[in-house]
Amino acid sequence: MHVLILGGTTEARRLAQALRDAHPEWRVTTSLAGRVARPLLPAGEVRTGGFGGADGLARALRELQVDALIDATHPFAGTISFHAARAAATAHVPLLALRRPGWVPAPGDDWHGVASLEAAAERLPALGRRAFLTVGRLGLPAFAGVDDVFFLVRSVDAPDPPLPPRSEILLARGPFTVEGERALLREHRIDVLVTKDAGGEATAAKLVAAREAGIPILVVRRPAAPEGVAGVGSVGEVVEWVRGVGG
C-alpha cells in the first residue's frame, strides 16, 4: 500500500505519523512544495518540489504506484488541490481531502470578511493604522501599495520584496500562545489584525488576543475547493478511509 500525502501542514505531518503507526508495512510519502526553507519533516518518505501541473502529478501517481492520494495542503494552497483532483481522475487513484475546519466568529469578535488579499488591502485603512499582518510571505505584495498603515509582518521565512513601505518583519513559527499574542498587540500598539481563514489551532491564539483587545479582524475568506472531492476534518477519518481503500 503506497499513500501519497500532499502536505506542508500540521495535519499532514500528523497524518503521516498516524499512518506509519497504524500500518508500519505501508509506504507513506509526503510531498512538500518547497516554499519553506526549513520545513518540519514528517514521518516516512519526503519529496520536495512541484510535479509539473496536473499531468505531471498523474504521471507521478502511476510511476510511484500510488494507491491512495491525500490532499492535506493548506486551505489557501489553491491550485494544487485542483491539480490533485484532475490527476487522481486521470490516473484512477482514490483521492480524499483533509481540510481543517475554518474559523468562525465568536461573541465579541469584530470580523470583516473579504474575498481576496487585494480586497483586504483596499479595506484595511478604514479599520486601523497599525496592522498585525499574518497572511504569509507570498501574500505581502498585495499590501505593498498601502503607505498609510504600519505593518507588523509575521512570517516563517524572510519575505522578498515588494513589501509594505512601513513594516517590521517578525520571523516566527507557530504554534503561538494567547499570552504571547497579547504581548505583541500591546508592544506594537496594534489596532487591526489581518489574517486568512487558515483554520486550525496553531495560529488561532491571535484571534482570542484581538477579541480581548477589542480590535477589528480583517479575514480573507477561503478560495473555492474542487467540486466532487470528498473531504474530512480529522486525521483519524483519513486513516480509516485509507484502510478501506486497501481492502
Side-chain angles (χ1 to χ4, degrees), residues 109-120:
D109 279 338
D110 181 16
W111 274 40
H112 302 262
V114 291
S116 66
L117 291 169
E118 291 74 18

Side-chain angles (χ1 to χ4, degrees), residues 21 38 68 87 90 96 155 166 216 224:
D21 291 344
R38 295 179 298 278
T90 299
L96 184 69
S155 175
R166 299 174 56 210

Side-chain angles (χ1 to χ4, degrees), residues 18-30:
L19 289 171
R20 290 294 301 273
D21 291 344
H23 291 277
E25 73 279 8
W26 286 355
R27 181 183 176 191
V28 178
T29 302
T30 299

Side-chain angles (χ1 to χ4, degrees), residues 101-113 197 207-208 211 217-219 221:
W103 291 322
V104 295
D109 279 338
D110 181 16
W111 274 40
H112 302 262
D197 180 16
L207 303 176
V208 177
R211 181 187 315 131
I217 306 172
L218 188 53
V219 183
R221 293 187 289 267

Side-chain angles (χ1 to χ4, degrees), residues 161-183:
L163 303 175
R166 299 174 56 210
S167 58
E168 178 180 337
I169 308 301
L170 174 62
L171 300 183
R173 187 198 300 265
F176 302 103
T177 66
V178 174
E179 181 179 359
E181 302 293 58
R182 288 191 194 113

Side-chain angles (χ1 to χ4, degrees), residues 175-190:
F176 302 103
T177 66
V178 174
E179 181 179 359
E181 302 293 58
R182 288 191 194 113
L184 275 181
L185 298 185
R186 288 195 304 266
E187 177 184 351
H188 296 275
R189 295 178 287 116
I190 298 300

